[in-house]
Amino acid sequence: MGSRFPDGLRDAWGHENKFELGDWFFYPIKDERFFNKTWDDVIRANELKQEELPHGFVTLATNGSGDELGFLKDDRETIYAWWHEINDLEVAAHSFEAFVEVTQAESDVLETFCERVEKNGLVFGLSAEQDEGWAYAPSHVEDTDVLLFFSSRELALACRVKEWADYHVIELPVELFLERWLPNMSDDELLCGLDWSSELVGLEYDPETILEYFE
């Protein structure tokens, strides 16, 4: 392929040849001893997809929906996601190590949030009005808004700061959250902010990712 793989990825392959991170399934290095498990290796994947991938892009992983994760030959450190439907490259992380850290953090926050709301049966939010509306913030990664959801009343109360100081804490049954809110948000291309800090900083999730966790 005319390019070295990122150092962090080569170290990861050394621990486990075929692995996944978040939604991404990483192609293995071909190993004749385990051909049945490594036949769809990273070299083969790039050869087969060469015509459809962006020029200079080397794929390392797929999400199973046609999108690919990889790097550019002239910048082997930065990790990019290639979204096939819009044929667009987006920076996923500035290094493979950073990608691992972000993915692990996303998984930890999502798991904790889902376990808590499943246990107490409620999702919490903030609203300027007592019985309607929902607090949101602009997304840091996409041209859309992020609705904030909390797994406890205490976490929601902690975000009543600055312009949100007079907001009310509101409750949403988890069944309604899963059956109506998340599907509608997905249709409207909105994102979810889960258990953001009192500085209104946190990770953003696609509603479909949360729905998949509960399936």
Side-chain angles (χ1 to χ4, degrees):
M1 294 187 302
S3 180
R4 283 169 52 88
F5 293 114
D7 294 336
L9 176 60
R10 289 189 285 116
D11 292 340
W13 272 326
H15 291 288
E16 187 174 1
N17 194 5
K18 195 170 187 177
F19 62 95
E20 60 184 272
L21 287 172
D23 296 330
W24 300 99
F25 300 88
F26 281 76
Y27 299 108
I29 295 293
K30 187 175 182 179
D31 188 335
E32 295 293 349
R33 298 171 302 170
F34 306 102
F35 180 77
N36 288 341
K37 294 183 178 180
T38 64
W39 65 271
D40 189 19
D41 65 275
V42 66
I43 303 297
R44 179 179 183 274
N46 278 278
E47 290 176 346
L48 289 177
K49 300 178 180 183
Q50 184 176 7
E51 297 298 324
E52 61 183 281
L53 295 175
H55 178 71
F57 180 77
V58 178
T59 182
L60 302 172
T62 180
N63 62 3
S65 299
D67 305 316
E68 304 287 328
L69 188 79
F71 65 98
L72 297 175
K73 290 183 178 180
D74 59 0
D75 177 18
R76 70 185 186 92
E77 288 301 315
T78 305
I79 302 298
Y80 293 86
W82 176 63
W83 309 112
H84 78 286
E85 289 188 351
I86 57 176
N87 191 26
D88 186 44
L89 282 175
E90 178 184 21
V91 174
H94 294 294
S95 68
F96 179 76
E97 292 83 355
F99 177 77
V100 173
E101 290 180 7
V102 170
T103 303
Q104 186 59 57
E106 289 177 344
S107 177
D108 291 345
V109 171
L110 178 62
E111 182 177 356
T112 299
F113 175 88
C114 292
E115 287 179 352
R116 286 176 177 172
V117 301
E118 190 171 31
K119 181 178 180 180
N120 59 38
L122 292 172
V123 176
F124 298 87
L126 294 171
S127 175
E129 304 295 333
Q130 184 71 48
D131 299 315
E132 61 181 40
W134 205 274
Y136 65 91
S139 170
H140 295 294
V141 296
E142 296 187 26
D143 186 21
T144 188
D145 290 322
V146 182
L147 273 65
L148 304 191
F149 299 98
F150 303 92
S151 59
S152 72
R153 178 178 294 274
E154 291 73 21
L155 288 171
L157 285 170
C159 286
R160 292 176 63 193
V161 295
K162 299 180 181 179
E163 65 268 26
W164 291 3
D166 296 326
Y167 275 33
H168 303 276
V169 175
I170 50 181
E171 300 177 354
L172 181 68
V174 67
E175 294 83 2
L176 191 60
F177 176 63
L178 296 174
E179 295 173 6
R180 293 191 183 180
W181 277 67
L182 291 179
N184 288 341
M185 288 179 62
S186 181
D187 291 341
D188 293 336
E189 299 184 349
L190 297 170
L191 297 176
C192 302
L194 305 183
D195 286 343
W196 278 22
S197 71
S198 57
E199 289 79 27
L200 302 182
V201 174
L203 298 171
E204 303 174 12
Y205 298 82
D206 188 292
E208 293 293 335
T209 300
I210 303 172
L211 284 170
E212 289 173 3
Y213 187 92
F214 281 95
E215 289 181 351

